[in-house]
Amino acid sequence: MPSRRTVLAAGAGLTAALGAGGPARAGDERRLRRIVAGMTLEDKVGQVFVSRVFGHSATAPDAADAEANLRELGVRSAAELVERYRVGGVVYFSWAHNTRDPRQVAELSDGVQRAALARPGGLPVLVATDQEHGAVCRIGRPATLFPGAMAIGAGGSPADARTLGLIAGRELRAMGVRQDYSPVADVNVDPANPVIGVRSFGAGPRAVADLVAAEVRGYQASGVAATAKHFPGHGDTAVDSHTGFPVITHSRAEWEALDAVPFRAAVAAGVDAIMTAHILVPALDDSGDPATLSHPIVTGLLREHLGYDGVVVTDALDMAGVRTRYGDDRVPVLALKAGVDQLLNPPDLRVAWHAVLAAVRDGELGEPRLDASVLRILRLKERLGLLDRPYAGTAGVDRTVGAPAHRAAADGIAERTTTLLVNEGTEGTVLPLSPRTRPRLLVAGADPASPSGTTGPPTGVLATAMTELGFAATALPTGVAPSDAVIARAVAAAGEADAVVVGTYDVTADSAQRTLVERLLATGRPVVAVALRNPYDIAHLPGVRACLATYCWTDVALRAAARVIAGAVAPRGRLPVPVPRADDPARTLFPIGHGLSY
């Protein structure tokens, strides 16, 4: 069994030779294969697992739920979990469980690495997270938070997408995170998609492809592995694969023309990893198995048809979409047989780990097949420099994470992506509102639960930003389902204001939010609607004469919206998706590319 010194020596000097996305030279490949040949079967099984870790410290869980989760796995700390199951990767999921502040995250990452390398023959761990930006952020402030993918789609700038990947990657790397489950490569063609939506760059496959490739290149330049997801394409689903089993009815020709386009671009850009989807696509595999467990999809389409030989990671294995047909002991084995390399977050690591070990020992899963996945994982770790430099340290964390230049870049991108959908009043345009006379402004509307790291609910953030711009702004949150009494209170407050800004969130035809907006309009005050998530809200608000789409309710998007409302900057975003009419969804209210300016 090779020692840590032998492993690191075998990898020495490979980083420069491999380059981001590049193939290994023959001599370097032989060294990596020797590492695999020297590993025990248990070490190899561990390498293909990416497990959640519990707690904010590698050695001392600091919450009862962390202790309980660890106890179920028969361990007492994240370090012991890494040591016992020899996992090749870990994933951070939330502020509550792992990511309180940048220095703490870096220390957790280094603690995990120390535990992995303490074992004889131990290899560095690939630390990952799900930092898409926008609606999905696992690491919050003071990290720089960017607008989400659909906002980037509204900006239409590959340069901005690359900047996002570069800056986000630099900050993640400073905290010891070397793999990001981003960008989303799904083409969102269903306005009612319950799980992708604004996480997608848009509905145009070529535009999505260009932005996916640009973001991938940004992450590559930062030294962090990007992960394009969710193959073969999750953009046309009416079911959330976290809670059910979505079925995609696209034909093979439709898949080639729509869903495959961004993944082809990601492969051409040298993407480091691709994540599978727990979806059923009968035209691609009529077995009834989800794509994650489908050999025709993972090996046939992704490996052979698209020519991808990098790391393939499953979506989380605790999701309902992959657990509908098979038990938790079968899913990881079937995923490996399908052609994946990394098994993400099984619901019971102990069960999954032993199931894979038994499958190899029993001959169901050939050890050469396991070796191929381990080799791909090691190539990625080496390419990222982990075999030589596994530790993040804390020396550069404070000056890198949330650096002023990074925040300024995020603010600029947010300004370029804010989209003005409607701006028409009886006496000219409603926007911009002038702060010159310090008008009284009511900021009302939905306050959805915000992603990690926001400074407050949307109404509060918007009101503060408008006050800083010269308005006398008051926040009145009404929630996403305001009662009659709450609506009446908002209407009364509007009577004392000069203008109203109302945030909306997933408005429907029978939504109480729609009633709120209609009652506010009836006061005669100028009303500006801000769609805090889906731009489709405007279809249900026919009386609104001014509406902005921000595509997310994070601080960076809301501050940009405030500057647009006040006329400090002009709106420049253009819809990356069509908005269908509410009364006739087959007809388009606003097409792709629609957007007004001052």
Side-chain angles (χ1 to χ4, degrees), residues 273-528:
I274 291 179
M275 179 180 284
T276 62
H278 306 325
I279 58 176
L280 177 64
V281 191
L284 305 181
D285 179 2
D286 61 3
S287 69
D289 285 340
T292 295
L293 309 183
S294 168
H295 190 274
I297 290 176
V298 178
T299 297
L301 283 184
L302 182 54
R303 297 282 190 211
E304 297 171 359
H305 183 60
L306 297 188
Y308 179 68
D309 192 38
V311 169
V312 176
V313 56
T314 69
D315 206 343
L317 296 182
D318 61 347
M319 294 165 58
V322 79
R323 303 174 74 187
T324 55
R325 299 192 74 190
Y326 304 101
D328 293 338
D329 59 335
R330 295 298 300 152
V331 167
V333 175
L334 295 174
L336 288 168
K337 291 175 73 172
V340 305
D341 304 305
Q342 289 184 308
L343 304 168
L344 174 62
N345 196 35
D348 188 325
L349 177 60
R350 178 163 42 188
V351 168
W353 194 93
H354 284 289
V356 173
L357 183 65
V360 179
R361 285 177 171 165
D362 296 345
E364 179 187 2
L365 182 68
E367 190 165 355
R369 167 66 196 89
L370 182 63
D371 288 351
S373 285
V374 174
L375 184 58
R376 288 192 191 100
I377 294 165
L378 289 183
R379 286 185 190 131
L380 176 54
K381 290 182 178 183
E382 208 296 317
R383 192 156 61 240
L384 296 172
L386 275 173
L387 296 185
D388 297 315
R389 297 175 299 280
Y391 297 111
T394 58
V397 172
D398 295 334
R399 67 173 179 268
T400 301
V401 179
H406 293 177
R407 294 198 303 271
D411 284 338
I413 290 174
E415 290 176 355
R416 292 189 286 277
T417 61
T418 304
T419 307
L420 181 59
L421 299 176
V422 178
N423 191 22
E424 52 186 33
T426 55
E427 300 178 359
T429 59
V430 176
L431 292 175
L433 302 178
S434 173
R436 283 180 294 182
T437 59
R438 193 167 174 78
R440 296 165 300 172
L441 190 69
L442 174 67
V443 180
D447 268 345
S450 292
S452 172
T454 54
T455 57
T459 49
V461 174
L462 262 174
T464 298
M466 297 304 297
T467 298
E468 291 171 349
L469 289 165
F471 293 81
T474 301
L476 178 61
T478 59
V480 295
S483 65
D484 291 343
V486 169
I487 292 173
R489 190 158 59 247
V491 170
E496 303 298 320
D498 297 306
V500 179
V501 174
V502 56
T504 66
Y505 182 88
D506 294 354
V507 178
T508 59
D510 58 354
S511 168
Q513 292 183 66
R514 176 173 175 166
T515 302
L516 168 67
V517 174
E518 289 173 344
R519 293 282 305 279
L520 291 172
L521 286 166
T523 66
R525 299 294 190 270
V527 174
V528 179

